[in-house]
Amino acid sequence: MASDQAFVDFILDQLQPTGPVSARKMFGEYGLYWDDKLFALVCDNKLFVKPTAAGRAYLAPALVEAPPYPGAKPSLLIEEGLDDRAWLQQLVRLTVAALPPPKLKKNKVK
């Protein structure tokens, strides 16, 4: 089941004042980006944040990990707290700060 645009828009609205957050459609679902850094996925109208030590510590003891789609590595499943804008923004700030910068893509030579 693909995610609803309305759910993605809600998450983006909650994160809007945090920084340069955007969504890109990917295989019927969505990737959430801070500039060019992928930090979360929206799959089946659920938010999956990339796991980091800072994110796990912030969510403890209510930490839930699950794969966003079959065969994927587990991510931090965020079901509670989506309505708490400040809480969600802090989770994203901690996660983005802990993630490495995106790898530069090499141009293919023809």
Side-chain angles (χ1 to χ4, degrees):
M1 175 176 103
S3 296
D4 297 328
Q5 183 66 48
F7 181 76
V8 175
D9 290 343
F10 169 74
I11 297 297
L12 290 175
D13 183 60
Q14 291 293 85
L15 298 175
Q16 191 276 329
T18 308
V21 177
S22 63
R24 296 181 193 160
K25 198 161 189 158
M26 301 170 53
F27 308 108
E29 300 297 351
Y30 294 84
L32 299 183
Y33 291 82
W34 180 291
D35 280 332
D36 288 330
K37 191 182 288 190
L38 178 68
F39 70 89
L41 297 174
V42 174
C43 299
D44 295 329
N45 286 336
K46 294 179 184 173
L47 179 62
F48 294 88
V49 176
K50 283 195 168 191
T52 62
R56 285 185 176 110
Y58 186 69
L59 293 174
L63 175 68
V64 177
E65 291 193 42
Y69 53 88
K73 293 179 183 179
S75 294
L76 305 177
L77 175 58
I78 311 302
E79 294 181 298
E80 303 295 321
L82 293 176
D83 290 332
D84 187 342
R85 184 182 299 243
W87 179 87
L88 188 59
Q89 290 174 358
Q90 181 62 17
L91 172 61
V92 169
R93 280 189 209 97
L94 291 169
T95 299
V96 169
L99 291 173
K103 294 179 182 176
L104 297 175
K105 295 181 182 179
K106 295 181 181 178
N107 290 335
K108 294 181 181 179
V109 178
K110 291 184 179 182

